[in-house]
Amino acid sequence: MTNSLIRKFLGSSGLVLSAILALPLQAQEAKELNLYSARHYQTDEALYSDFTKKTGIKINRIEADDNALAERLKSEGSNSPADVILMVDAARLWRAQIDGFFKPIQSKYLEGRIPVNLRSQSEPEGSTWFGFSTRARLVVYNKAKVNPQDVDTYEKLAEPANKGKVCTRSGAHPYMLSLIGAMIERRGETATEEWAKGMVANMARPPRGGDTDQIKAVASGECSVALTNSYYLVRLLRSTKPEDQAIISKIGFIWPNQQTTGTHINIAGGGVARSAPHPQAAKQFLEYLASDSAQEYFANGNNEWPVVKSVKIENEGLKMLGPFKAENISIAAIGKNQIAAQRLLDRVSYK
């Protein structure tokens, strides 16, 4: 394909165009891409179609949850046809890196667009994975039972004043492991273990269910306060179902740690697969995900925030949440701390 034809496909899409034209001929001739994705949102279809329209590269998708994808990649080994792997949560991305699923790449475009704290640690060969959207871990509380000032930090949830009030999903879930990994990074392992002991002592019930289950339990009064990822709350806020609106009417939400370190954030991200048969097309796809238009598709698909700071999105659900101060900790460090986090949780019997 000639550069003139590529320009015809891409029009004047700025940096993305420049990046693609800089690729060697081999990449320009790649016509398909095998994507293993733990994301499966309706708007992702438009995201992939837009990439194909702009590049002529067809995307073949395998969609499953993160654990199923990991098992498949292990089973396929070096014969895996995967070109790009998309996962959610720093803990899972770090695990995939340790398992050797990714191939490091160098991309000035990605390094220029994605903040350092939202991608893997840079090695001489490059970075192994990049974040493409962020989500936040919020506190939700029962408005009839809780004074918001008593639960406006993660640390306060473990204080004696909240005994018998707290609910969370399993401590072994990556969302919790990443939160605790962030606390280890900020406060150290000893202080975080004390916090975890307090959380266990304050549980209203044994940890179980997903984040939406925690919100429903708060609304019903079974729990008084819980933790949830932001997009679960936004789904309920945007729902027109009477039963969802009834839940929302009973709960409030808080951006934790606004006077100190900021609210914990996590990412959805991805990287080039270790044995990618189309490595240049895979790199091209990741660079596309960091473009302005793709950032809008990627973030709106699950009511998340773009990682590229200059990209502004119009998402009514996120507007309902309002602005907040985000934690500024390396996502790579959070992922790396997950083993220490799990050991710590085992010591305090956090189920």
Side-chain angles (χ1 to χ4, degrees):
M1 181 179 290
T2 64
N3 285 350
S4 62
L5 283 176
I6 293 176
R7 290 191 178 90
K8 184 177 179 180
F9 273 114
L10 296 177
S12 56
S13 53
L15 289 172
V16 174
L17 174 61
S18 300
I20 293 172
L21 291 180
L23 295 173
L25 182 61
Q26 178 186 1
Q28 296 177 22
E29 292 176 342
K31 290 298 182 183
E32 66 177 0
L33 173 72
N34 300 319
L35 172 64
Y36 282 28
S37 177
R39 287 174 56 93
H40 38 80
Y41 306 117
Q42 190 172 6
T43 53
D44 286 352
E45 184 64 44
L47 178 76
Y48 304 143
S49 297
D50 187 53
F51 174 73
T52 298
K53 182 179 179 181
K54 289 179 173 175
T55 64
I57 298 173
K58 175 187 175 185
I59 297 180
N60 306 312
R61 281 179 284 164
I62 297 293
E63 295 181 338
D65 63 33
D66 298 84
N67 291 333
L69 283 183
E71 289 303 314
R72 183 176 182 126
L73 287 162
K74 287 179 182 176
S75 175
E76 293 173 342
S78 60
N79 294 320
S80 175
D83 289 303
V84 171
I85 304 167
L86 297 181
M87 291 184 161
V88 294
D89 196 278
R92 287 168 171 147
L93 286 161
W94 181 83
R95 185 72 258 175
Q97 177 183 349
I98 295 303
D99 287 339
F101 295 158
F102 293 125
K103 172 191 297 185
I105 63 169
Q106 293 183 335
S107 168
K108 291 183 179 178
Y109 182 77
L110 289 172
E111 291 170 2
R113 299 278 284 179
I114 299 174
V116 172
N117 69 311
L118 299 180
R119 45 187 158 98
S120 74
Q121 186 174 2
S122 182
E123 304 290 345
E125 298 82 7
S127 298
T128 49
W129 49 264
F130 301 84
F132 293 106
S133 64
T134 64
R135 66 276 301 276
R137 198 126 184 94
L138 302 174
V139 168
V140 292
Y141 65 93
N142 187 303
K143 291 190 288 190
K145 292 188 169 185
V146 172
N147 180 346
Q149 294 181 343
D150 292 338
V151 293
D152 60 2
T153 71
Y154 300 114
E155 288 78 4
K156 286 184 180 178
L157 299 183
E159 293 180 350
N162 287 313
K163 189 173 182 60
K165 297 180 180 179
V166 179
C167 283
T168 72
R169 65 191 310 160
S170 169
H173 192 276
Y175 297 168
M176 290 301 296
L177 289 176
S178 289
L179 171 65
I180 295 165
M183 296 187 77
I184 292 173
E185 195 67 16
R186 287 194 289 105
R187 306 183 64 205
E189 195 166 333
T190 300
T192 303
E193 184 165 337
E194 285 301 310
W195 174 84
K197 285 181 183 175
M199 288 289 283
V200 171
N202 286 352
M203 290 293 178
R205 66 179 187 189
R208 66 170 181 265
D211 283 11
T212 302
D213 297 314
Q214 312 310 315
I215 298 173
K216 290 179 177 178
V218 169
S220 72
E222 182 180 12
C223 316
S224 298
V225 61
L227 293 167
T228 181
N229 274 358
S230 48
Y231 51 85
Y232 291 105
L233 178 60
V234 171
R235 288 174 191 169
L236 292 173
L237 287 170
R238 300 186 72 170
S239 173
T240 58
K241 295 179 180 177
E243 59 269 32
D244 291 339
Q245 289 303 306
I247 291 171
I248 292 299
S249 70
K250 296 176 182 175
I251 66 169
F253 71 90
I254 291 173
W255 295 111
N257 296 50
Q258 291 302 282
Q259 303 306 313
T260 55
T261 54
T263 297
H264 170 64
I265 60 169
N266 211 317
I267 60 168
V272 175
R274 176 180 54 188
S275 303
H278 310 102
Q280 294 296 341
K283 178 181 175 182
Q284 191 174 347
F285 180 67
L286 294 184
E287 291 177 339
Y288 164 76
L289 292 183
S291 68
D292 285 4
S293 61
Q295 279 283 285
E296 293 179 17
Y297 280 125
F298 205 86
N300 278 323
N302 193 33
N303 299 306
E304 297 176 88
W305 292 272
V307 295
V308 178
K309 296 304 181 185
S310 60
V311 174
K312 306 299 180 186
I313 59 173
E314 292 295 325
N315 182 305
E316 293 303 318
L318 296 181
K319 286 182 180 178
M320 292 178 187
L321 296 183
F324 70 103
K325 175 183 176 182
E327 187 179 65
N328 186 25
I329 290 179
S330 165
I331 292 293
I334 291 172
K336 186 178 180 181
N337 286 341
Q338 70 168 293
I339 293 177
Q342 185 60 68
R343 289 174 178 166
L344 177 158
L345 292 175
D346 290 343
R347 288 197 293 270
V348 302
S349 300
Y350 197 131
K351 303 298 184 185

